[in-house]
Amino acid sequence: MGVSQKKVYTQDLEVGMFVSDLDKPWHRTPFPIQGFHIRSQDDIRALISHCRWVMIDVAEGRDSLEYDEAGAPSFARRASRKIKPQDLIKLPPIQVKNPERHQTKRSLKRELRASGPLLRSAEDAIRKVAGSLRNDMVPDLRPVAKVARRMTSSIIRNPDALLWLARVRQQDDYTYQHSLKTAVWALVLGRHLGLDEPLLNTLATGCLLAHIGKAELPREVVFNEYQLDAGQFEQFRTYVGRGVRRLEEAGVSRGVVAVVRGHRERHNGSGFPAGVRGDRIPLLAKIAGLVDYYESLIAPREGYQPLSPAQAVSQLFELRNVEFQEDLVEQFIQSVGIYPIGTLVQLTNGQRGVVVSHSPKRRLMPKVMLMTDVNQQPLKAARMVNLATCNEGRSVSDSLRVEGCLPNDTDGLDPSRYDVTGAESRWNLRRLVGA
């Protein structure tokens, strides 16, 4: 039977298609030059990151059920992808018993000073656990638990400081940074939901340890998790069970183990290792899975194009009642905003900066630390502008707004070079627009 080719835009790709050509040279992408089958949403996400369209071999398509039943992870679907009504799973809204209304107890400046060394301590603790596993030793998890408690206390006192530090510090090792930032996102969401301190400690510890099972996998499997063949992917999926087994041997609490066991499960049953769905996934594991997915979108492994926070939020919104519970997605968006702390943005007057904080009631009007002038030349000293207050009394056409997000590696934008704890600038809108 002959094979015909068809041009397909990447946002319209489906699991099971065979990609035979790209809109750019193969050597400029990580994809195998001989072509490949799309086995999961991971592959679609990678293709979206590198290409606008691809050519597919129509006769080479294969049934996607082989991979769906295997629990292949789902990533980055575009809004144009149609969700069938039968795919939706609706549950009653999450109810936290006796939720705590956490109040901010420290200023950003004081909490930044107190929490500065904390992230390095967290990385060191995770590294030691991974090293013990690689050497087939029983890991000492007490430093991880201690770090989790310190992170919880910091987020309770001020949810912005630790998130700021995690987002602006330089990247080191991907797995450790990913685990650390996932824990911070989870704590911010958990605090917003009203979880008490013991539950937040359990959540943070589970997120920090969620990926330790990867220490037992071959390096090439872990580093190429988006480009694995069927056999390698089956091996990759075992990292959850490996981590659970080692944590149980070390006597870790059942709550922490439940977070690790369930962080790759999905609302519609498409996750792994067990393929459980809906209310069979513990709440803390649901939180861990959601923020783990989000962090993978905005900070993927090297070689993949990250989505902006706004794009990632759009992806989460589309997956409501499919891979993630609807109200949990909405609560997460409320807790971090459309432009989370640490997001590089460009304003409508051309100035560029980084989001420092936001109001849950005015999520499109954050406080921004400006780092350039309107000609995008670096400022000697950062200037603060609160978009929510500086636009009061002005029409929409005259207001200063966020025009869009910028990549984290945008030239000339390094938030760590500026003092984020300074007083807010007293510039008025007219001066900002005319700067």
Side-chain angles (χ1 to χ4, degrees):
M1 180 175 62
V3 176
S4 61
Q5 288 189 315
K6 179 181 179 182
K7 178 179 177 180
V8 177
Y9 286 96
T10 50
Q11 65 263 30
D12 296 322
L13 291 171
E14 299 285 348
V15 172
M17 292 178 174
F18 185 87
V19 178
S20 57
D21 203 0
L22 309 176
D23 65 356
K24 62 179 58 178
W26 288 90
H27 70 270
R28 291 174 55 191
T29 75
F31 308 121
I33 194 169
Q34 70 273 18
F36 61 98
H37 282 102
I38 298 176
R39 62 165 182 78
S40 73
Q41 297 296 335
D42 263 345
D43 294 340
I44 294 175
R45 176 178 179 270
L47 285 163
I48 289 173
S49 297
H50 288 86
C51 307
R52 293 185 62 247
W53 55 265
V54 300
M55 300 298 293
I56 65 167
D57 286 357
V58 176
E60 289 282 353
R62 92 166 48 167
D63 187 358
S64 64
L65 290 178
E66 176 183 346
Y67 297 105
D68 292 340
E69 291 172 356
S74 298
F75 276 101
R77 299 179 181 180
R78 296 290 182 176
S80 61
R81 293 179 60 79
K82 294 181 174 60
I83 303 297
K84 299 177 181 178
Q86 59 266 32
D87 293 332
L88 301 177
I89 301 175
K90 295 188 177 182
L91 294 177
I94 292 172
Q95 297 290 334
V96 176
K97 186 177 181 181
N98 301 320
E100 297 219 6
R101 302 304 176 194
H102 300 286
Q103 301 296 320
T104 300
K105 299 177 181 178
R106 273 189 184 174
S107 67
L108 177 62
K109 184 174 183 177
R110 287 189 61 200
E111 193 56 40
L112 282 174
R113 289 175 176 172
S115 301
L118 180 52
L119 297 185
R120 177 57 61 183
S121 298
E123 292 172 26
D124 291 343
I126 301 171
R127 280 193 177 90
K128 289 178 181 178
V129 171
S132 297
L133 294 180
R134 281 192 290 266
N135 295 320
D136 202 26
M137 299 169 56
V138 177
D140 180 5
L141 299 176
R142 289 174 296 181
V144 175
K146 181 178 179 181
V147 163
R149 290 194 296 270
R150 291 173 60 194
M151 291 174 66
T152 298
S153 297
S154 176
I155 292 291
I156 288 177
R157 291 190 298 264
N158 188 312
D160 295 343
L162 203 59
L163 183 55
W164 170 264
L165 290 171
R167 300 227 41 212
V168 303
R169 71 176 291 138
Q170 295 298 317
Q171 292 288 339
D172 189 2
D173 184 279
Y174 177 82
T175 298
Y176 306 131
Q177 285 286 330
H178 179 87
S179 299
L180 178 60
K181 292 180 180 180
T182 296
V184 176
W185 290 121
L187 284 172
V188 171
L189 174 55
R191 182 187 190 274
H192 178 79
L193 291 173
L195 301 182
D196 61 26
E197 190 165 351
L199 284 175
L200 290 174
N201 284 329
T202 297
L203 177 61
T205 305
C207 289
L208 290 173
L209 296 173
H211 295 267
I212 64 166
K214 292 179 180 177
E216 297 185 357
L217 295 179
R219 186 180 181 89
E220 61 271 16
V221 171
V222 175
F223 277 65
N224 297 297
E225 62 180 274
Y226 300 148
Q227 294 296 322
L228 302 177
D229 60 32
Q232 290 174 320
F233 183 67
E234 284 301 309
Q235 185 179 24
F236 174 78
R237 292 174 64 216
T238 66
Y239 88 82
V240 176
R242 293 171 185 266
V244 167
R245 175 175 55 82
R246 298 304 293 267
L247 293 177
E248 289 177 335
E249 291 173 354
V252 175
S253 71
R254 289 185 297 176
V256 171
V257 171
V259 173
V260 176
R261 179 184 288 114
H263 80 281
R264 291 302 291 258
E265 302 291 356
R266 291 295 179 256
H267 188 63
N268 62 354
S270 65
F272 61 87
V276 297
R277 57 190 288 174
D279 56 7
R280 293 188 60 193
I281 306 173
L283 173 59
L284 299 189
K286 289 183 179 183
I287 294 174
L290 175 63
V291 298
D292 182 80
Y293 175 87
Y294 177 79
E295 177 63 21
S296 296
L297 293 180
I298 65 172
R301 284 192 178 275
E302 185 178 358
Y304 294 89
Q305 183 67 36
L307 299 185
S308 71
Q311 290 172 323
V313 163
S314 177
Q315 299 288 350
L316 289 178
F317 203 71
E318 180 191 349
L319 294 177
R320 294 169 302 156
N321 287 331
V322 181
E323 294 189 25
F324 304 103
Q325 189 165 336
E326 179 177 27
D327 60 309
L328 196 60
V329 171
E330 293 174 350
Q331 292 289 344
F332 177 67
I333 296 172
Q334 290 179 20
S335 68
V336 304
I338 305 298
Y339 309 113
I341 293 169
T343 301
L344 299 179
V345 295
Q346 180 167 314
L347 304 186
T348 49
N349 69 343
Q351 288 186 283
R352 293 177 169 183
V354 60
V355 174
V356 175
S357 66
H358 64 86
S359 167
K361 296 181 180 179
R362 303 288 301 277
R363 292 197 295 275
L364 296 178
M365 293 290 179
K367 180 188 289 187
V368 178
M369 181 175 74
L370 299 174
M371 293 182 283
T372 77
D373 59 22
V374 295
N375 297 314
Q376 299 171 6
Q377 296 301 306
L379 298 174
K380 292 182 178 180
R383 295 163 181 162
M384 295 288 182
V385 55
N386 189 329
L387 299 181
T389 57
C390 82
N391 285 314
E392 290 178 354
R394 292 187 172 269
S395 65
V396 174
S397 60
D398 292 333
S399 64
L400 185 65
R401 305 180 307 280
V402 173
E403 186 174 62
C405 300
L406 298 170
N408 286 338
D409 58 354
T410 300
D411 289 341
L413 298 183
D414 182 4
S416 63
R417 293 179 53 242
Y418 296 91
D419 180 14
V420 71
T421 63
E424 179 179 339
S425 170
R426 294 183 179 179
W427 282 17
N428 59 30
L429 180 63
R430 181 175 301 173
R431 185 172 180 183
L432 278 168
V433 173

